[in-house]
Structures are given as structure tokens and as C-alpha cells.
Amino acid sequence: MATAVQQGDLSRYARCVEVSKRVRWEIDRDVFRGRDLDFSKKFLPDGLSQVRELAFLSREERRLVSQIQGRTYANMFGLVERYITVKMLELSQDHALGDQAALEALVRFTDEELKHQEMFRRLEAMTAAGMPPGYTFAPEPNDVARAVLASSTWAVLGLTCHIELFTLAHYIQAIERDADLSEVWKEVFVYHWVEESQHAILDELEWRREDARLTTGERDAGVADLIELVRAVDAILQVQAAADAEYFIAVCERDLSRVEQESVRAVFLRAYRWQYIGSGVSGERFLEVLGDLVDAGQAARIRAALQPILTATAAR
Ligand SMILES: [Fe+2]
Ligand SMILES: [Fe+2]
């Protein structure tokens, strides 16, 4: 039986409900407004795509790298939101006959993630219409959701907290400040950020609530599960980075040398590992929350497991 909401958290759930109602937006009325993507502009900012490391590419080729990575970026959110929606729907049951603000906060969270999935599907269709054929997004949302949801709730909430915190960090540190992005692509992530800000708070509240009911042994198993989940994310990134690099090499309108092709493959993988793992697990808030939940031995196990991936994200 999950623990009840702590008294001090009551107002935080209620505050999330209040903000969620105030910032609520609609896909067509607010985000797309009948507009299309501008393919003469970038999608993903340089700070995330690491495209500056590919100095041998022309301006147009760098823009294509940004658009390919930006396409995958949107698809990755659509992917993880499938399992996040289902998990939050499940957790909302814990509050069904309890704190009604917590119930409402998680119901709204679920509703927002369903809407986000639709927005990212729409964005993918718009992107596909303006780019050469041949792009593939390998992971299937339901397969990934089934695999993730088989893991312990502690680990699933840890992964989710990490994802939703890096969503906020990417927006503040890179997307918001890049004036050269396609307006529609950028605004998708402005609106996404506005609602994700509440999700990150709720992830933390739910992760702490779940943590409070665990024995040391159960938490230990949760740590092992979290490490496995991050490794599973890395396996997905390896496949998708390779697919996206090959797509770029195929459609970039000139023959790249073998060395240049290798650089493209390496930068795509490094960028994806940074975007979806490195930037999240090194985030200040994530480390703070994790530090509150795990003991020194468990923290060391997580650090050791992540070290090879984090080393691989360091720019050359
Ligand atoms: Fe979302
Ligand atoms: Fe979210």
C-alpha cells in the first residue's frame, strides 16, 4: 500500500493544479495556428546537436543535421510520453479516495501527456512532408512502454524525473536563447516546457512518496532497475543515432569521405547520449533529489554504471 501524501506536499499538488489550469493550451488554437515548419531554419539548437564539432560541413548541411536531430528529439518525447502517461494514470489510483488535489494533478498530467503525444505525432507528419524520404524512427512506443513499465515504480519515477527535468533544462539553456530556429518548431517546445514545469514537480513528489514506503532492500532493487533502464535508453540511442547518421550521409547531396562519415556517426551518438542521459543525470535538481533518496553505496553504484556513458558524451 503506497503511503499517503505528506501534509507539506498538499499545497504543492494544489499549486500544480492551479498553474496547469492557468497555462493550459490547445494544439491548433495556440501552438500550430495553421502554420508550417520553416525548413530554411534550424530545429534543434547547436548547444544540443553538437553540430559545431562537424566543422567540415557547410551551413546548409549543419542545418540538415539540426533538422534530423530535431525530428528525432520530438519523436523521443512522443515515445517516452506513452509510458509516462500510463504510469501517471496508474499512480493516480493511489490518490483516488485520498487527497483530491493530488488526484486532479495526476489526472491533468495524464491528459497533458496524451495531448503532447498528439502534438509530436502532428509535428512528425509536418517534418516528414518537408524532408527527403528515408528517415526512420526505430523504437515503437508500446514496446518501449511495456518494457519500462515492467520495472519497479521507484526506478520508473527516477527515469521520468530525470527526463522531465532535462526537458526544462534544454529549453532554458538552449532552445529559448537560439534566435535561428524554425518558429513553429521552437514554439512546440515553448508550450511543452510550460506544462512540463508542473510535471517535473509532480514526478519528484511521487518519487519521494514511493521512496518513503520502500525497505532498504526494495530501494536497492530500485537502484538496479534504474541502472538497467538507463542502459536500455542508451541501447535505443545507439540504434537511433546510427540510423540518423546514415540518413544524413545518404541525403546530404555530396559524398563525404570515410573519415567525415565516421565523425558524423560519432557526433550523432555523442549528442544523443548528452541530450537524453548526460544532461539529465548531471542536472543539479536531479542529483539533489536522488541524493536525498539513496545512500552512499547506492549513489556510488549509479555513478559507476553511468560513468562509461558520461565519458562518451564529453566533447572532443
Ligand atoms: Fe510532455
Ligand atoms: Fe511531462
Side-chain angles (χ1 to χ4, degrees):
M1 182 68 191
T3 50
V5 172
Q6 299 291 307
Q7 199 57 34
D9 292 336
L10 283 177
S11 58
R12 296 192 72 194
Y13 283 102
R15 168 105 179 113
C16 283
V17 171
E18 190 263 310
V19 178
S20 158
K21 286 179 177 167
R22 187 152 42 81
V23 302
R24 169 88 196 176
W25 47 263
E26 299 301 333
I27 296 173
D28 282 307
R29 186 194 66 196
D30 302 306
V31 185
F32 291 134
R33 289 182 272 138
R35 299 171 303 167
D36 207 345
L37 287 161
D38 181 352
F39 287 91
S40 72
K41 299 263 187 75
K42 295 185 295 183
F43 292 178
L44 200 70
D46 299 352
L48 291 169
S49 70
Q50 302 192 4
V51 72
R52 289 198 192 98
E53 290 187 46
L54 298 169
F56 54 88
L57 295 184
S58 68
R59 196 166 177 276
E60 290 71 27
E61 288 164 345
R62 288 184 201 198
R63 186 178 64 210
L64 180 57
V65 167
S66 154
Q67 291 174 352
I68 295 169
Q69 289 202 17
R71 184 173 183 179
T72 286
Y73 190 74
N75 284 329
M76 285 292 284
F77 281 110
L79 175 74
V80 296
E81 286 173 344
R82 181 66 53 86
Y83 94 74
I84 292 173
T85 304
V86 176
K87 192 68 195 177
M88 287 302 155
L89 196 57
E90 177 196 313
L91 290 171
S92 70
Q93 293 298 308
D94 287 351
H95 303 289
L97 300 178
D99 174 31
Q100 297 297 286
L103 175 63
E104 187 173 1
L106 295 194
V107 167
R108 295 188 71 88
F109 184 150
T110 303
D111 175 58
E112 286 159 5
E113 292 295 27
L114 286 166
K115 179 179 66 180
H116 298 177
Q117 288 179 65
E118 155 132 26
M119 175 173 70
F120 290 124
R121 281 194 297 271
R122 296 269 304 276
L123 189 64
E124 165 56 24
M126 289 161 71
T127 311
M131 289 180 80
Y135 171 90
T136 52
F137 186 72
E140 206 286 311
N142 284 341
D143 292 344
V144 170
R146 267 185 217 102
V148 172
L149 295 168
S151 201
S152 60
T153 293
W154 190 92
V156 174
L157 284 170
L159 181 73
T160 309
C161 194
H162 144 84
I163 291 171
E164 308 218 84
L165 282 170
F166 79 57
T167 307
L168 306 186
H170 290 179
Y171 176 73
I172 297 290
Q173 292 164 13
I175 297 172
E176 184 187 35
R177 60 182 63 177
D178 196 325
D180 198 26
L181 306 183
S182 161
E183 205 168 298
V184 169
W185 193 91
K186 184 170 183 169
E187 285 180 27
V188 163
F189 288 94
V190 174
Y191 282 101
H192 192 233
W193 168 75
V194 157
E195 290 186 339
E196 289 300 321
S197 301
Q198 284 68 257
H199 297 184
I201 295 168
L202 294 167
D203 292 334
E204 183 188 324
L205 292 174
E206 289 298 304
W207 195 14
R208 289 183 187 278
R209 189 175 67 84
E210 172 67 9
D211 183 78
R213 71 177 197 90
L214 296 190
T215 63
T216 307
E218 287 170 332
R219 189 171 303 104
D220 232 28
V223 166
D225 283 352
L226 181 57
I227 289 170
E228 280 316 304
L229 285 176
V230 175
R231 286 190 176 134
V233 171
D234 192 53
I236 288 173
L237 299 182
Q238 292 190 44
V239 172
Q240 193 58 39
D244 288 358
E246 293 317 315
Y247 173 65
F248 172 77
I249 290 164
V251 301
C252 90
E253 292 183 347
R254 71 173 162 117
D255 289 335
L256 298 176
S257 72
R258 274 172 64 119
V259 173
E260 288 169 339
Q261 290 186 20
E262 278 314 306
S263 295
V264 167
R265 293 186 187 102
V267 167
F268 268 75
L269 180 56
R270 206 148 67 227
Y272 286 8
R273 283 175 150 169
W274 172 250
Q275 287 161 31
Y276 305 106
I277 299 176
S279 63
V281 297
S282 59
E284 199 179 330
R285 187 66 191 156
F286 180 75
L287 288 174
E288 255 175 50
V289 181
L290 183 68
D292 285 348
L293 306 186
V294 299
D295 63 27
Q298 291 163 337
R301 274 166 55 206
I302 295 171
R303 261 199 312 278
L306 292 178
Q307 199 51 48
I309 299 172
L310 293 181
T311 305
T313 65
R316 297 295 129 93

